[in-house]
Amino acid sequence: MRTIIAFPSSHAAMEAELLAEDAGYACRLIPLPPAIHAGCGIVLLCEHSVILQVADLLAAKRVPTDGVYDKNGDTWHRRLDS
Amino acid sequence: MTKEIDARGMSCPRPVLLAKQALADAADNGLRVLVDNPDAAENLKGLGTSLGYAVQAAPYEEKDFIVTFSKGKPIETVVKESPVANDTYLVVLQGDEMGQGDAAFGKKLLEGFIYALTEQDELPTYVVCYNKGVTLTTLNDKTVADLNTLMDKGVQVLSCGLCLDYYGLKEKLRVGQVTNMYRICELMRSHPVVKP
């Protein structure tokens, strides 16, 4: 399963990738999947097993996020608590 | 009689240049070329295949290679049969950034482009990297992973040998093969080119 974290800005996304990498998490920026939003953007793709830790890390560092999404088949679902 | 060229000790792209000229002069009789490194052998194989020859490269003596071109289609015929291919395309990666502007942002854009390329319905036939674009096949873990994904799907990934050498990355190539400027030139004139 693929899991991503979305952001309100590209600057926040780039900051998030640096923080996640520095903390040793296997994450990378990818283009915003069109199925989530038709606009431009970049999101942080993470291993499903570490997504909560990464989200906590970003919250602690006050990096603004715009939802966590899981991909099941061809469909992305936003987590209700994100 | 099959012509022979001893191109050992010659640097890229001279062996390819000599072979191309020899094939043009004596296309029917075949050709054997001796070279002293595997990259030159691969480049000669690429040349022969592109010109319609059956090509074999084999070890020769201790560390050299002999590349044999067998009779195939004459060069003129191949040229006539090789118009610009419309059902495929070539992606050229000429640097480690996409567009001009903030360098860090440009690198992220290019990584994103290569990731998006892996998810296209229509994949390129070739991805060619030159100048600082060769860092994408050597140093960048993310693009190396994505380019490997493309190779798994049948895309050929090529890096300019001269560029790898210039940036001191020749021993660090992690995906695809080394190529030369003649092959790059031929691919770019015979395919629609996408440059991010």
Side-chain angles (χ1 to χ4, degrees):
Chain A
M1 181 189 291
R2 288 185 173 185
T3 306
I4 61 165
I5 300 174
F7 301 90
S9 74
S10 55
H11 291 91
M14 291 174 68
E15 184 183 359
E17 185 190 41
L18 285 176
L19 289 168
E21 286 183 340
D22 286 348
Y25 296 116
C27 299
R28 61 168 299 182
L29 293 176
I30 64 169
L32 174 67
I36 293 177
H37 193 278
C40 290
I42 44 179
V43 298
L44 192 65
L45 175 68
C46 299
E47 292 289 333
H48 183 70
S49 59
V50 302
I51 194 71
L52 291 179
Q53 291 98 309
V54 174
D56 286 345
L57 170 70
L58 299 181
K61 298 291 184 181
R62 299 184 184 278
V63 178
T65 60
D66 196 13
V68 175
Y69 293 79
D70 298 307
K71 188 176 186 183
N72 284 317
D74 292 331
T75 308
W76 290 91
H77 299 278
R78 180 169 180 161
R79 294 189 183 183
L80 294 177
D81 56 348
S82 67
Chain B
M1 181 177 172
T2 302
K3 188 171 182 178
E4 289 193 4
I5 297 173
D6 187 349
R8 290 175 291 187
M10 296 180 186
S11 57
C12 170
R14 187 144 177 78
V16 171
L17 193 60
L18 290 175
K20 191 169 186 177
Q21 184 60 52
L23 289 170
D25 292 343
D28 291 341
N29 297 326
L31 175 68
R32 282 196 289 267
V33 184
L34 278 170
V35 291
D36 58 11
N37 66 83
D39 292 342
E42 281 300 317
N43 287 334
L44 286 167
K45 283 173 68 178
L47 169 74
T49 302
S50 70
L51 295 177
Y53 286 84
V55 193
Q56 283 190 320
Y60 181 78
E61 295 184 341
E62 283 191 11
K63 56 178 182 176
D64 299 333
F65 298 86
I66 187 163
V67 183
T68 305
F69 298 74
S70 303
K71 185 180 178 184
K73 301 171 188 173
I75 289 175
E76 290 76 13
T77 304
V78 174
V79 170
K80 287 174 186 171
E81 290 180 354
S82 301
V84 172
N86 291 319
D87 56 347
T88 181
Y89 64 101
L90 166 72
V91 172
V92 168
L93 304 173
Q94 56 191 340
D96 61 353
E97 300 170 26
M98 185 173 181
Q100 296 178 333
D102 180 79
F105 184 57
K107 288 177 182 176
K108 292 303 160 194
L109 288 179
L110 188 55
E111 289 173 3
F113 173 86
I114 297 170
Y115 177 87
L117 196 59
T118 67
E119 301 210 332
Q120 295 300 301
D121 292 333
E122 301 285 337
L123 294 174
T125 306
Y126 297 94
V127 173
V128 176
C129 302
Y130 55 73
N131 211 322
K132 212 169 180 185
V134 297
T135 60
L136 304 169
T137 55
T138 53
L139 302 180
N140 188 319
D141 293 339
K142 292 162 188 166
T143 55
V144 165
D146 289 338
L147 291 170
N148 266 314
T149 299
L150 287 170
M151 284 195 68
D152 290 343
K153 294 181 177 181
V155 177
Q156 291 194 50
V157 177
L158 302 172
S159 293
C160 161
L162 175 63
C163 310
L164 288 167
D165 188 52
Y166 181 83
Y167 288 107
L169 297 172
K170 203 159 190 175
E171 308 303 323
K172 295 181 179 177
L173 185 66
R174 292 159 65 196
V175 56
Q177 294 180 313
V178 177
T179 191
N180 62 61
M181 197 54 75
Y182 289 91
R183 182 76 172 136
I184 292 172
C185 185
E186 176 205 328
L187 290 174
M188 289 181 72
R189 69 173 173 76
S190 58
H191 292 77
V193 175
V194 173
K195 281 186 184 178

